[in-house]
Amino acid sequence: MQFTDLGLSAELLRAIGEQGYTTPTPVQQQAIPHILAGRDLEALAQTGTGKTAAFVLPILQRLTNPVAGQTGSPLQKITHTAPRVLVLVPTRELAAQVLESVRVYGAHTGLRSLAVFGGVGINPQIQTMRRGIDILVATPGRLLDHLGQRTVDLSKVQTLVLDEADRMFDMGFIRDIRRIIEKLPKVRQNLMFSATFAAEVRELAHAVLRDPAMVEVARRNAPAELVTHTVIKVDQDQKRDLLLHLFAAHGWHQVLVFCRTKHGSDALARKLEQAGIRTAALHGNKSQNARTRALADFKSGKLAALVATDIAARGLDIDSLPRVVNFELPNVPEDYIHRIGRTGRAGASGEALSLVSGEAVACRESWLQQSERAHQELESQQ
Ligand code: AMP
C-alpha cells in the first residue's frame, strides 16, 4: 500500500513526499481510514511505529476537506478562533514533537497550530491563541491553567486525541484529563493511543470512546523486533568505568543512557563530561530551554551522550538512534519497553545494553515473570 491509496489530499501527499515517505506504516494503514470515516479509535501502538502521523494526517485532511455532516472548511478557518482539534499528551517534549509533526504534515494546508505546556511563559501562548488556531496540542496541567484563566475556548473541539494514554496514568494526569473532557462538546470524535492496555487505560477507553475501531500493531509489551538486547553483569561501583571503557573502545556516539534518578543522571553526566565525552542530562529539574537545547544538540550529533530519566525521555523522537544503555534497570517492565523504543525505529536496527548488578538480576527476573503473567491474563480475557 502507498500513501496515495489512502485518499489523502494533494497538499498532504506533497508534505509526506517532502519527508521522503512513500509507504504508510502498519498503524497508519490501519488507523487512517477509520479516522477519515469519522470513527472513534482505540490504538495500541508504541512510539516509533509512526503513530503520530497516523492521527495527524487524517485530522488535517478532515479539517481541510470537510465531509458531509462535518463543519469546518478552509474558508471557515479564517474566522475560527477556537481550536477544532485537541491533542492531549503527557510531556512537554511530546507536545513539541506532535506540534512539529502537525506543522510538517500541515505545511501546505494553511492550518494554524499551537502547543501549550508548562515550564515556559504563558503569555505568548495566550497571544497566539487569541489570533486563532485550528489544532491545539497540550499537556493537561498547562491546559487547565488556560481554562482557569479563560484563555482557551474548548467549545469548538470536534476531535480529541489522547496520546500515550498509559503514560498519562503513570504520571497521575487522569483527574486532569477528566476535568478537561468535561469542557468539550459531547458530540465529538475521540482517538486514543496507548503503548499498553493496562486495566485503567481500558476503563478510560470505555468511558470516553463510542463504538471505537480497534487497531493493534505490536504484540503487547513486545519490544521493537530489530533491537538486540545485551545484559552485562557488573558491580554497581564499576558501572561508570565500564561505560567509559565502552565509549572509548567503540567510539560510541548518540547514546541514550538511562538512570533511575535525577541526581544519578547529573552525577553520571558529569563523569562522562570529565572523561571528554560531550554529554547532557535530561530530567524534570532542567528548565524547558535547557531540555530543548540538550535534545537539539543530541539530535544534531553535537553531544555523544544524553543521560535521561524515564519521564524526561518519554516519547523522544530521535531518528535511528543506534544505542540505548540502561545504566540502571527501570522499576517497572513497561519502562524497559519504552526506553528501548527509542532505538531500532522504522526498520533501523538498534542495540539495547543493560548494566545489571547482582541485586537487579533478581528484580529483573521477578518482573519478567510478572509481565508474562499479565500477558497471559490479557490474552485469556480476549
Ligand atoms: P512516531 O511513532 O510517531 O513517534 O514516529 C516514529 C518515526 O517514524 C518518526 O521519526 C517519523 O518521522 C517516522 N515515520 C512516520 N511515518 C513514517 C513512514 N510512513 N515511513 C517512514 N518513517 C515514518
Side-chain angles (χ1 to χ4, degrees), residues 3 16 19-28 45-55 57 94 97-98 101 105 163-164 315-320 341 345-346:
F3 273 110
I16 294 166
Q19 293 307 298
Y21 306 151
T22 49
T23 314
T25 65
V27 68
Q28 292 163 2
Q46 296 164 8
T47 304
T49 54
K51 69 179 170 64
T52 315
F55 65 82
L57 289 169
L94 190 59
Q97 283 170 17
V98 170
S101 291
Y105 298 121
D163 194 13
E164 306 207 345
L316 290 184
D317 176 18
I318 304 162
D319 279 337
S320 58
R345 282 185 173 199

Side-chain angles (χ1 to χ4, degrees), residues 259-374:
C259 282
R260 253 193 286 217
T261 64
K262 297 170 189 172
H263 179 72
S265 315
D266 278 335
L268 182 60
R270 268 198 307 275
K271 185 87 183 172
L272 292 173
E273 271 286 329
Q274 281 162 10
I277 298 163
R278 296 288 315 273
T279 308
L282 190 76
H283 57 65
N285 280 4
K286 297 272 172 186
S287 71
Q288 186 56 35
N289 280 346
R291 293 211 245 176
T292 308
R293 198 173 50 240
L295 190 57
D297 287 348
F298 185 61
K299 281 188 178 185
S300 71
K302 264 193 217 162
L303 294 175
L306 194 61
V307 183
T309 57
D310 287 294
I311 286 181
R314 175 69 187 167
L316 290 184
D317 176 18
I318 304 162
D319 279 337
S320 58
L321 183 62
R323 187 165 289 103
V324 168
V325 172
N326 292 308
F327 191 76
E328 286 147 330
L329 283 176
N331 291 322
V332 291
E334 283 75 18
D335 280 338
Y336 181 82
I337 307 293
H338 291 311
R339 285 181 178 189
I340 63 166
R342 253 88 339 232
T343 185
R345 282 185 173 199
S349 61
E351 185 184 1
L353 183 70
S354 302
L355 307 187
V356 178
S357 55
E359 228 170 292
V361 173
C363 149
R364 179 170 175 273
E365 245 121 60
S366 107
W367 38 258
L368 281 179
Q369 283 163 3
Q370 270 178 36
S371 73
E372 193 52 38
R373 254 203 314 278

